[in-house]
Amino acid sequence: MRELYEQLKRLFPLGEYAEQRRDLSFVTVPQEHLRPLLIHLRDRAGFTHLVLLTAVDWLEEGFFQLTYLLNDRAAKRDLGLRVLIPRDGATMEGIHDLWPTAATYQRELREMFGIDFPGSPRVNEEFILEGWTGMPPYRRDFDTKKFSEENFNHRPGRATKDPAKHMKEKLYPDEA
Amino acid sequence: MKIRDLLSPFTVWKNLFRDPVTIDDPVRQRPGAPRYRGFHKNDVKKCIGCGTCETICQNGAIDMVPVDGISAKDGDSGLRPRIDYGRCCWCALCVDVCMTKSLTMSNDYQWIDRDPDAFRFTPGVDRKKWDDAALGYQRPDDHRLTPEERVHMKELGPDARIGSFIEIVKGYSVEEARKEADRCVACGLCTATCPAHMAIPDYIAAIRDGDYERGLRLLYDTNPLPEVCGRVCTHKCESVCAVRHEGDPVAIRWLKRHIADQVPLDQYRAIVGATEPATGKKVAVVGAGPAGLSAAYYLARMGHAVEIFEALPAAGGMMRYGIPEYRLPYDQLDKDIAFVMGLGVKLTLNTRVGKDIALDDLRKRFDALFISTGLHLGRSTKVPGADHPKVFQSIDLLRRVTLGEEIFCPGEAIVIGGGNVAMDIARTLARLQMRKYGKVGVTLLCLETEDVMPADREEIIESREEGVILRPGYGPTHIETDGDRVTGARFVRCLSVFDENGRFAPRFDTADEIAISGAMVVESIGQGMDLSYLPDDLKNQIVFERGRPKVDRHFRTSVPWLYAGGDIVQGPDVIHGIANGHAAAVGIDRYLREGGTT
């Protein structure tokens, strides 16, 4: 798939290239070049199918990574486009006009990561979370443990022991 | 209307004759995928009860519980994880973090029971039908949440270090220490094994947080010699570190040193705190080694007036007069000692109790005594020739080197012994020879084969790097002398060191004899104690056990006002001495507060 990358590189300013398998590669793309590149891939390079759109929270670095995974059915290969967007006020141009199914992914990302896709159909409607008011739960600073402790009861009769304290109790109870 | 549109409803009829896609009972006949995350399995023999599974669980689904037949021991808390499947979300973080890879998942996910409490059980302990399932999720080998390799410690190379006594180990930078501290999973298994029971995970957490003041306070809670222990501790903690099962143990010793290195001495008092109000009680400590200094430190903090009597010209005991400078620089030892003295502890040097001052005098002047005089008498092999003046005791030579005396140092020397002290003298002689002759000529022989030599592994590696020739597995038969000169020694192959009862009873193959040439022989096969300073009537009141004074858990001898600790009670080890001194201080304090009579 490196030839494809070399070809694309002549047309678009591309970032890092990573080949994960012979039939699966990833390319980093500047945010503003995503749309023309997607159109090119869909209409001229055979990548007609949007497999998925997902995100990774790079909390420490301060950005979200969006991954647009495309499939070229004829050539049986997948290409993932990675776009980094600032985490603060995360907003991205939608691609639902290119693939209508993208609207569903965009709605999910809005709900789970808090990434906005202005103009995407029903993007602000609840997707799977009902009545969620807190921080989007796929953000890495979301405290899963705290949420589960606050929302789910423990069955009565549970007890746990701290390993170090238990060892002191058993092995050297009288020592300082 | 096309003909196809008319016919198409009938095309489905062809499906009547095909095998059904769905099956009758999907539940009973569909095993999970090979890597399915089903009910947990735990190899309880491999599990060490570190509790990292409980810590990482984002659902609070895991409890660490005691289990019949598994008891707490070094490196194993004796606890095992119990999982509440009412909360488990099958994410497998617990499997991914497991330090021993004992916790895995079966591909079994089907289980019906009317009792909700049945879904809370201890995998591997409570038998389940999936315990032997071959399939299911396991952490892939290359998938680790904690780095396997410790942060590299910069050290002087052999060429740079052999010509001098400069410290070999450079210490971590703040950045490196934080990275190494990040490898700790804070299970706390190490604390039980550390003789001083130091709060290891807590001070490592302090490094992570960059809070060196908290770190130093935690060190001094249990150990008043952190610069020393951060360098030369036998670090038994690292031998039980949970991380060691799938990688290098956390560099606990270097991290301790890092904390002490980061804080200047003049800030110690403000950080660690002042002493308690004076009690008016006086305690004498005999011997300024690790145990004596530790006892003095904690007694002083408790408000007692402490005076240490030391025979040699400086405090430190074996830390100064045994351990060479390249392992423990004197300025670092002095830093630890200075803080103990800064609490108002009085140090009387060059005063040998029993000679310069009688123990009875001390008894009259002080309310309690702590004796920690160490093991300063070298043991001899007693082979023919061992009484020759050119046959030395390692401990005497090391002391004389520290005192600045010039010692006899020929171009060829033989060291007998396989422990750390033997390594110390071999490597000291190597350095002196390098200065004097420009080359190293030390041969070290010991009864043990290399795999069971008592010396630390790094001592064996480093002494070889420095040009010391090691001949493990040989015992001396006699030392060859010629008038006032030693010319060499003969050795025979040692077949085994201990008998089947674990008693020292070496067996030799006298047919396999070797001759080693050398103009000096240094014996380093162990040390004994000199308790001649104890008056006979007192000695008669003290109960001895296998040659050592018998003490209770507060290190009190059979004489109520006499406490003993350190090497004379527990054998040669700095950290045991420190722990003994601390325990004795607690005991002495209680004894004094109760009136000092019983």
Side-chain angles (χ1 to χ4, degrees):
Chain A
M1 284 180 82
R2 185 163 275 278
E3 324 83 79
L4 174 70
Y5 173 69
E6 297 299 336
Q7 284 167 21
L8 293 172
K9 220 176 153 184
R10 268 177 253 136
L11 301 170
F12 302 93
L14 301 179
E16 236 176 277
Y17 172 80
E19 188 170 301
Q20 191 160 321
R21 287 197 312 253
R22 220 165 38 78
D23 57 353
L24 175 65
S25 295
F26 292 89
V27 180
T28 309
V29 189
Q31 187 174 350
E32 63 275 20
H33 294 286
L34 175 75
R35 171 170 284 268
L37 178 59
L38 284 174
I39 293 172
H40 175 86
L41 286 167
R42 185 187 67 171
D43 297 343
R44 292 167 187 266
F47 287 90
T48 52
H49 174 54
L50 174 72
V51 181
L52 57 83
L53 165 54
T54 187
V56 177
D57 182 2
W58 294 95
L59 176 66
E60 291 81 358
E61 290 80 358
F63 54 77
F64 286 119
Q65 170 192 306
L66 291 166
T67 301
Y68 298 79
L69 189 66
L70 305 184
N71 173 256
D72 172 357
R73 287 188 190 200
K76 293 184 177 151
R77 57 183 183 171
D78 289 297
L79 180 65
L81 303 183
R82 289 173 175 159
V83 179
L84 304 176
I85 61 170
R87 204 170 174 274
D88 279 344
T91 304
M92 182 66 191
E93 191 189 355
I95 58 159
H96 44 277
D97 55 326
L98 303 180
W99 282 282
T101 47
T104 308
Y105 290 114
Q106 289 168 177
R107 194 172 147 202
E108 183 193 30
L109 292 175
R110 169 80 180 140
E111 183 170 83
M112 303 306 278
F113 285 92
I115 303 169
D116 197 9
F117 293 87
S120 185
R122 301 171 66 196
V123 74
N124 288 319
E125 286 178 33
E126 282 174 346
F127 183 58
I128 56 165
L129 303 177
E130 290 172 24
W132 192 273
T133 53
M135 177 189 291
Y138 277 5
R139 289 200 170 208
R140 283 200 24 239
D141 42 355
F142 175 76
D143 191 338
T144 312
K145 180 79 183 284
K146 184 164 166 278
F147 176 83
S148 93
E149 292 296 351
E150 285 169 356
N151 288 277
F152 304 107
N153 293 332
H154 285 277
R155 283 200 72 75
R158 280 186 59 179
T160 188
K161 283 180 173 286
D162 174 67
K165 285 195 191 108
H166 179 71
M167 289 175 90
K168 174 169 168 50
E169 222 170 88
K170 293 286 169 195
L171 298 173
Y172 57 103
D174 300 328
E175 288 175 50
Chain B
M1 172 141 325
K2 292 176 184 157
I3 186 80
R4 211 178 80 181
D5 291 341
L6 276 174
L7 290 177
S8 61
F10 299 98
T11 59
V12 299
W13 284 94
K14 73 172 190 265
N15 291 332
L16 271 178
F17 307 102
R18 286 171 59 178
D19 284 338
V21 175
T22 51
I23 47 179
D24 285 347
D25 187 343
V27 173
R28 244 169 295 166
Q29 296 174 27
R30 276 178 54 182
R35 292 204 305 149
Y36 192 82
R37 298 186 298 217
F39 286 107
H40 293 78
K41 299 189 294 180
N42 190 17
D43 182 346
V44 288
K45 288 205 173 65
K46 227 160 120 186
C47 177
I48 52 172
C50 65
T52 44
C53 47
E54 178 190 16
T55 309
I56 204 168
C57 180
Q58 295 297 297
N59 294 308
I62 301 181
D63 294 324
M64 296 305 292
V65 299
V67 165
D68 282 344
I70 300 175
S71 36
K73 58 172 192 275
D74 278 335
D76 181 357
S77 73
L79 301 171
R80 293 297 179 261
R82 187 175 179 85
I83 300 173
D84 180 351
Y85 288 90
R87 297 185 69 95
C88 176
C89 75
W90 319 85
C91 69
L93 274 177
C94 52
V95 174
D96 285 341
V97 81
C98 179
M99 305 312 287
T100 61
K101 244 181 154 181
S102 71
L103 194 64
T104 56
M105 281 166 141
S106 69
N107 66 336
D108 204 334
Y109 60 99
Q110 304 151 22
W111 182 24
I112 296 163
D113 200 298
R114 289 185 181 282
D115 174 14
D117 282 323
F119 293 94
R120 223 173 74 210
F121 63 89
T122 310
V125 175
D126 302 325
R127 279 295 297 172
K128 297 290 170 198
K129 66 179 164 71
W130 49 78
D131 282 350
D132 302 317
L135 300 177
Y137 180 74
Q138 300 185 8
R139 170 165 62 75
D141 276 331
D142 57 348
H143 182 121
R144 295 301 311 272
L145 295 181
T146 49
E148 290 166 12
E149 284 172 26
R150 67 166 57 173
V151 174
H152 176 71
M153 172 59 77
K154 290 196 248 337
E155 292 179 5
L156 279 186
D159 294 338
R161 66 186 189 234
I162 183 65
S164 77
F165 282 81
I166 296 173
E167 184 171 26
I168 294 171
V169 175
K170 292 285 147 207
Y172 282 141
S173 67
V174 170
E175 199 66 20
E176 289 166 333
R178 195 167 294 184
K179 211 170 146 201
E180 181 62 16
D182 246 348
R183 300 176 61 233
C184 171
V185 292
C187 63
L189 294 189
C190 45
T191 295
T193 298
C194 171
H197 307 306
M198 297 192 75
I200 296 164
D202 298 341
Y203 71 66
I204 290 180
I207 295 174
R208 252 190 326 247
D209 300 342
D211 187 348
Y212 291 101
E213 299 194 1
R214 188 175 98 227
L216 193 76
R217 267 194 300 275
L218 286 164
L219 296 184
Y220 271 86
D221 279 348
T222 46
N223 186 339
L225 301 169
E227 292 282 17
V228 171
C229 278
R231 289 174 166 78
V232 301
C233 185
T234 42
H235 57 100
K236 302 200 170 15
C237 49
E238 294 179 20
S239 70
V240 296
C241 176
V243 185
R244 96 193 152 85
H245 292 273
E246 296 264 308
D248 301 332
V250 174
I252 300 172
R253 180 171 57 166
W254 301 146
L255 290 176
K256 172 163 51 241
R257 166 189 167 160
H258 174 74
I259 295 175
D261 280 355
Q262 291 311 110
V263 186
L265 178 61
D266 57 14
Q267 292 176 16
Y268 273 35
R269 201 177 174 84
I271 295 167
V272 179
T275 56
E276 283 172 37
T279 60
K281 301 286 185 186
K282 294 191 294 179
V283 184
V285 171
V286 183
L293 288 167
S294 171
Y297 172 81
Y298 290 106
L299 286 165
R301 295 215 58 148
M302 294 168 191
H304 305 300
V306 186
E307 182 168 354
I308 308 179
F309 296 88
E310 168 59 48
L312 288 162
M318 281 300 181
M319 300 182 291
R320 186 184 304 275
Y321 295 101
I323 298 169
E325 206 181 349
Y326 59 84
R327 282 177 60 202
L328 175 57
Y330 299 133
D331 57 338
Q332 299 304 330
L333 171 62
D334 288 339
K335 184 184 176 191
D336 280 351
I337 294 173
F339 184 55
V340 177
M341 295 309 145
L343 297 183
V345 172
K346 203 174 158 201
L347 177 62
T348 305
L349 297 168
N350 297 306
T351 305
R352 185 175 288 275
V353 173
K355 184 170 151 248
D356 302 314
I357 185 167
L359 194 93
D360 283 338
D361 286 353
L362 296 183
R363 166 63 189 135
K364 283 178 202 131
R365 283 172 47 203
F366 293 90
D367 299 296
L369 260 66
F370 178 68
I371 54 169
S372 52
T373 46
L375 307 174
H376 292 265
L377 293 181
R379 289 211 180 103
S380 173
T381 59
K382 293 187 178 135
V383 296
D387 51 357
H388 192 276
K390 294 289 192 292
V391 178
F392 300 87
Q393 286 297 327
S394 58
I395 206 66
D396 297 339
L397 293 179
L398 289 167
R399 179 168 57 242
R400 288 171 54 199
V401 169
T402 301
L403 287 167
E405 293 176 21
E406 196 168 323
I407 62 166
F408 179 63
C409 178
E412 275 187 325
I414 300 168
V415 174
I416 301 173
N420 282 336
V421 182
M423 293 296 165
D424 288 343
I425 190 60
R427 298 175 67 186
T428 295
L429 286 171
R431 281 163 172 72
L432 296 174
Q433 287 172 335
M434 198 65 192
R435 278 184 188 172
K436 210 165 159 183
Y437 310 106
K439 61 182 174 55
V440 175
V442 180
T443 308
L444 180 145
L445 304 98
C446 61
L447 294 177
E448 298 87 356
T449 48
E450 186 168 334
D451 51 326
V452 291
M453 269 172 75
D456 289 345
R457 191 68 213 155
E458 62 251 40
E459 288 288 328
I460 294 171
I461 293 167
E462 289 173 6
S463 60
R464 269 208 188 107
E465 286 174 354
E466 291 165 6
V468 175
I469 296 165
L470 302 188
R471 299 294 298 266
Y474 283 94
T477 53
H478 64 279
I479 293 163
E480 292 166 329
T481 59
D482 177 14
D484 62 351
R485 292 188 312 129
V486 161
T487 56
R490 287 186 173 270
F491 295 81
V492 288
R493 161 78 60 195
C494 178
L495 298 171
S496 64
V497 183
F498 299 98
D499 66 13
E500 56 275 12
N501 299 319
R503 271 190 293 261
F504 181 75
R507 287 191 308 115
F508 297 100
D509 173 8
T510 48
D512 184 354
E513 193 189 37
I514 54 170
I516 307 287
S517 64
M520 83 187 292
V521 172
V522 184
E523 295 178 310
S524 188
I525 59 161
Q527 291 118 246
M529 67 185 82
D530 176 6
L531 296 181
S532 60
Y533 59 89
L534 296 175
D536 284 344
D537 58 328
L538 183 62
K539 221 183 224 166
N540 291 337
Q541 292 174 55
I542 301 172
V543 177
F544 285 84
E545 221 173 42
R546 274 176 289 167
R548 295 173 177 179
K550 192 184 168 203
V551 293
D552 67 10
R553 65 190 172 87
H554 288 300
F555 292 83
R556 175 151 75 170
T557 65
S558 356
V559 178
W561 49 267
L562 186 67
Y563 289 71
D567 291 357
I568 58 171
V569 168
Q570 213 148 14
D573 181 23
V574 173
I575 188 68
H576 270 106
I578 289 168
N580 297 175
H582 189 187
V586 172
I588 292 171
D589 177 63
R590 214 178 51 174
Y591 166 71
L592 295 177
R593 284 177 201 279
E594 284 168 2
T597 48
T598 50

